[in-house]
Amino acid sequence: MDGMNLENDHYVPRILKAVEFMEHGLTRDITLREISREACFSPFHFNRVFLALTGVPPGTYLRTRRLTEAAVQILSSSRKIIDIASEYQFGSNEAFSRSFKNRFGLCPKDFRNGKAAGGDVWSKFFHNKEILFNGALTLEPSLHEISDKSVIMGH
């Protein structure tokens, strides 16, 4: 990224701190300014570094995580979909349904009722829930062998 050495400048720990802040703020109205402050960056620079490290803008990451957590709520509770949408900061049922359908390929009601192609809503959900990172960050824990001890790493 334009002369930035992402590893030598210690950007990864700062971005991970911002990711942690976003994870704890999925049900709150948080701004790019607040998130970038957690990483000690200006909003403009944070957006550039986050995009370079993850391949997605921070807003896309936050929206995708909110949709993923809302999907868990839709499948595991009997709460009204509109209440779940509101909890995860979607301003209207229409905006939530549109974003949800773009992400998972079906509307929230059909998702809840298991009406995915082939009836396997879980595999469609888990196939789509991952955000792929450019090698620096991951949401999936991994197992690494260190000497004769096993350590789980990841966020």
Side-chain angles (χ1 to χ4, degrees), residues 7 11 43-44 53 71 79 82 84-85 89 95 106 136-137 146 149:
E7 288 184 24
Y11 286 145
F44 174 77
L53 286 173
R79 292 176 57 207
I82 193 159
I84 295 170
Q89 302 301 306
L106 63 166
L137 302 174
I146 300 176
K149 295 184 179 184

Side-chain angles (χ1 to χ4, degrees), residues 6 11-12 15 48-55 133-137:
L6 296 174
Y11 286 145
V12 172
I15 294 299
R48 288 182 37 177
V49 172
F50 192 94
L51 179 61
L53 286 173
T54 67
F133 290 93
N134 292 334
L137 302 174

Side-chain angles (χ1 to χ4, degrees), residues 46-116:
F46 172 73
N47 195 55
R48 288 182 37 177
V49 172
F50 192 94
L51 179 61
L53 286 173
T54 67
V56 296
T60 300
Y61 171 84
L62 186 58
R63 185 174 42 262
T64 301
R65 287 292 299 125
R66 285 176 169 159
L67 285 168
T68 301
E69 292 304 312
V72 169
Q73 289 292 314
I74 288 169
L75 289 177
S76 65
S77 78
S78 59
R79 292 176 57 207
K80 291 181 181 179
I81 291 172
I82 193 159
D83 293 341
I84 295 170
S86 178
E87 178 182 0
Y88 286 98
Q89 302 301 306
F90 287 89
S92 71
N93 195 39
E94 294 78 20
F96 177 68
S97 291
R98 186 174 43 256
S99 293
F100 196 95
K101 187 168 186 173
N102 285 340
R103 181 69 182 148
F104 298 109
L106 63 166
C107 69
K109 183 179 176 185
D110 288 345
F111 188 78
R112 175 173 270 167
N113 295 331
K115 293 183 180 173

Side-chain angles (χ1 to χ4, degrees), residues 103-153:
R103 181 69 182 148
F104 298 109
L106 63 166
C107 69
K109 183 179 176 185
D110 288 345
F111 188 78
R112 175 173 270 167
N113 295 331
K115 293 183 180 173
D120 188 5
V121 73
W122 282 105
S123 68
K124 185 167 189 60
F125 169 69
F126 285 110
H127 172 73
N128 283 303
K129 87 173 212 180
E130 294 179 24
I131 296 177
L132 301 177
F133 290 93
N134 292 334
L137 302 174
T138 180
L139 292 179
E140 299 300 319
S142 59
L143 192 61
H144 295 273
E145 292 291 330
I146 300 176
S147 303
D148 39 332
K149 295 184 179 184
S150 297
V151 178
I152 297 177
M153 300 178 70

